[in-house]
């Protein structure tokens, strides 16, 4: 049998960066604390020592400045990986991400490519309150010209980061700080230097017949836990890990809904105009709608800025019990 080992999301991302820096000399990493300190979350551990000042660059605390430098570098033929210490701080640079990076290929009639990756932790961590806890999947997923990926497992993280760096378009990679230290099983194939996960393809993490659960990032784990709980009660959940927010793999979701006749979406972001809202709309407009035996149900973060108090935070983030409740509501049990 092929060797399977436990790898944390942090090490998977580090592996991907290391392999891509080695593979293509145009690739470089920049951001706050990425070089000498080994990264705020140690994602870039050892890379500055190995590749030096030109390839791994510490920046001042100026997102608009270093994101702008990165976009210009991409237009000029380099392949920057721009790390935000949290995606909440990408708001300082959203003009660069949207108006400079996302729109340029179209506005130049395809003559100017912007091969850049914006990456870093997205969504709620623990106890960091409203200014550090927002999920930006719906924001960036809204904008044509970007690709948006949202990994869950170590395999997702490695395969999607490598695919993002190799892609000729701007890619926003939304990681999750609470997953960095979590170990996942990784196959020998997933640990090879040529392993990539195609952008725009979802993965069925668990087969089921009664209800389709669609999620991305950390809530995929919650969905799998909820599926284990529900299986004890005879309910078989099919769990879909979206992996990519834009372009969205609605075909995989449709095929599942045709089979299960029920849909529950789960996300850490806010309800209004969210990822779940988009999935529900696409299902309603498409061929799978006639197969639904009940209204789709959304499980989302609470519609408030994230509170600081732990008990309030726990009540703002979808928990396993919320998913179980939503499934029972959808199945009318």
């Amino acid at each position: 049998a092929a060797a399977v080992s436990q790898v944390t999301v942090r090490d998977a991302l580090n592996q991907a960066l290391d392999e891509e820096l080695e593979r293509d000399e145009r690739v470089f990493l920049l951001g706050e604390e990425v070089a000498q300190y080994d990264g705020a979350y140690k994602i870039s551990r050892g890379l500055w020592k190995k590749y030096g000042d030109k390839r791994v660059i510490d920046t001042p605390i100026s997102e608009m400045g270093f994101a702008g430098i990165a976009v210009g570098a991409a237009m000029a033929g380099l392949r920057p990986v721009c790390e935000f210490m949290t995606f909440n701080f990408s708001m300082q640079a959203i003009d660069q991400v949207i108006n400079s990076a996302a729109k340029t290929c179209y506005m130049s009639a395809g003559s100017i490519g912007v091969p850049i990756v914006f990456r870093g932790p997205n969504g709620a961590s623990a106890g960091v309150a409203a200014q550090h806890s927002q999920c930006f999947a719906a924001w960036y997923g809204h904008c044509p010209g970007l690709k948006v990926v949202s990994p869950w497992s170590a395999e997702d993280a490695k395969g999607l980061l490598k695919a993002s760096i190799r892609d000729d378009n701007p890619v926003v990679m939304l990681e999750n700080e609470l997953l960095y230290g979590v170990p996942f099983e990784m196959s020998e194939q997933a640990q090879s230097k040529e392993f990539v996960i195609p952008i725009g393809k979802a993965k069925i993490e668990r087969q089921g017949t009664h209800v389709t659960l669609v999620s991305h990032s950390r809530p995929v784990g919650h969905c799998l836990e909820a599926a284990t709980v529900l299986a004890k009660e005879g309910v078989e959940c099919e769990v879909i890990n979206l992996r990519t927010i834009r372009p969205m793999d609605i075909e995989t979701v449709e095929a599942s809904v045709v089979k299960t006749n029920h849909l529950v979406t789960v996300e850490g972001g806010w309800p209004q105009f969210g990822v779940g809202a988009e999935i529900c709309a696409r299902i309603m407009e498409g061929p799978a709608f006639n197969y639904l035996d009940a209204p789709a149900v959304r499980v989302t973060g609470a519609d408030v800025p994230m509170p600081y108090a732990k008990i309030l935070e726990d009540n703002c983030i979808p928990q396993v019990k919320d998913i179980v409740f939503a499934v029972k509501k959808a199945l009318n049990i």
Side-chain angles (χ1 to χ4, degrees):
V4 173
S5 39
Q6 295 272 326
V7 180
T8 64
V9 170
R10 173 181 288 108
D11 289 343
L13 289 165
N14 181 269
Q15 220 177 74
L17 286 168
D18 189 4
E19 289 169 12
E20 295 305 304
L21 282 160
E22 183 181 62
R23 177 178 177 267
D24 187 342
E25 60 186 20
R26 296 169 300 176
V27 175
F28 70 101
L29 173 66
L30 80 170
E32 293 144 2
E33 307 280 17
V34 298
Q36 294 185 35
Y37 187 70
D38 274 343
Y41 307 100
K42 305 295 177 227
I43 303 297
S44 52
R45 189 172 47 219
L47 298 180
W48 173 68
K49 265 202 171 74
K50 184 169 174 182
Y51 295 100
D53 290 325
K54 278 204 164 66
R55 308 289 303 283
V56 184
I57 303 168
D58 277 330
T59 63
I61 304 176
S62 173
E63 279 75 14
M64 179 184 262
F66 69 74
I69 286 169
V71 172
M75 289 176 177
L78 296 178
R79 305 186 79 90
V81 178
C82 175
E83 176 180 309
F84 294 120
M85 203 176 279
T86 142
F87 259 94
N88 296 263
F89 304 161
S90 76
M91 293 294 94
Q92 296 288 339
I94 200 165
D95 179 62
Q96 305 290 5
V97 179
I98 306 299
N99 291 322
S100 302
K103 298 177 183 178
T104 292
C105 184
Y106 183 89
M107 293 182 72
S108 66
S111 65
I112 302 171
V114 189
I116 187 170
V117 179
F118 300 101
R119 53 155 294 273
N122 168 69
S125 175
V128 290
Q131 290 194 326
H132 300 80
S133 296
Q134 188 180 336
C135 172
F136 291 93
W139 281 50
Y140 286 119
H142 181 63
C143 301
L146 291 179
K147 294 184 182 182
V148 182
V149 298
S150 181
W152 166 60
S153 66
E155 183 179 302
D156 290 351
K158 184 178 178 191
L160 288 171
L161 181 50
K162 286 170 72 78
S164 300
I165 292 170
R166 295 181 190 191
D167 200 286
D168 288 332
N169 301 280
V171 182
V172 170
M173 178 150 170
L174 304 169
E175 298 158 14
N176 188 293
E177 188 185 332
L178 295 175
L179 288 173
Y180 284 155
V182 178
F184 287 88
E185 285 194 347
M186 251 177 116
S187 66
E188 214 168 350
Q189 181 214 358
Q191 292 188 67
S192 85
K193 286 190 175 177
E194 286 313 305
F195 177 73
V196 291
I197 289 171
I199 293 172
K201 198 81 200 82
K203 182 188 179 193
I204 297 171
E205 296 287 349
R206 180 186 172 124
Q207 299 277 347
T209 49
H210 296 130
V211 59
T212 300
L213 289 174
V214 189
S215 191
H216 68 94
S217 190
R218 187 163 169 260
V220 173
H222 294 86
C223 286
L224 289 168
E225 283 178 52
T228 303
V229 171
L230 286 155
K232 295 190 176 103
E233 301 181 39
V235 176
E236 290 300 329
C237 302
E238 181 141 298
V239 179
I240 298 177
N241 171 8
L242 274 179
R243 283 179 163 173
T244 306
I245 306 300
R246 180 183 192 100
M248 190 179 277
D249 181 3
I250 209 68
E251 294 77 19
T252 295
V253 181
E254 279 175 342
S256 180
V257 169
V258 166
K259 181 172 75 168
T260 67
N261 311 113
H262 297 90
L263 174 65
V264 174
T265 67
V266 185
E267 66 192 302
W270 293 319
Q272 192 156 317
F273 312 110
V275 175
E278 175 67 18
I279 293 166
C280 291
R282 298 276 279 273
I283 290 298
M284 197 160 97
E285 290 167 347
F289 177 69
N290 293 321
Y291 289 85
L292 278 177
D293 287 344
V297 181
R298 288 180 290 163
V299 180
T300 69
D303 200 18
V304 295
M306 184 62 69
Y308 173 66
K310 175 143 185 42
I311 186 148
L312 294 178
E313 179 174 78
D314 289 343
N315 280 287
C316 275
I317 296 167
Q319 308 290 346
V320 173
K321 63 176 171 54
D322 303 313
I323 300 168
V324 171
F325 180 81
V327 167
K328 290 183 172 177
K329 181 178 164 185
L331 292 171
N332 198 19
I333 51 176

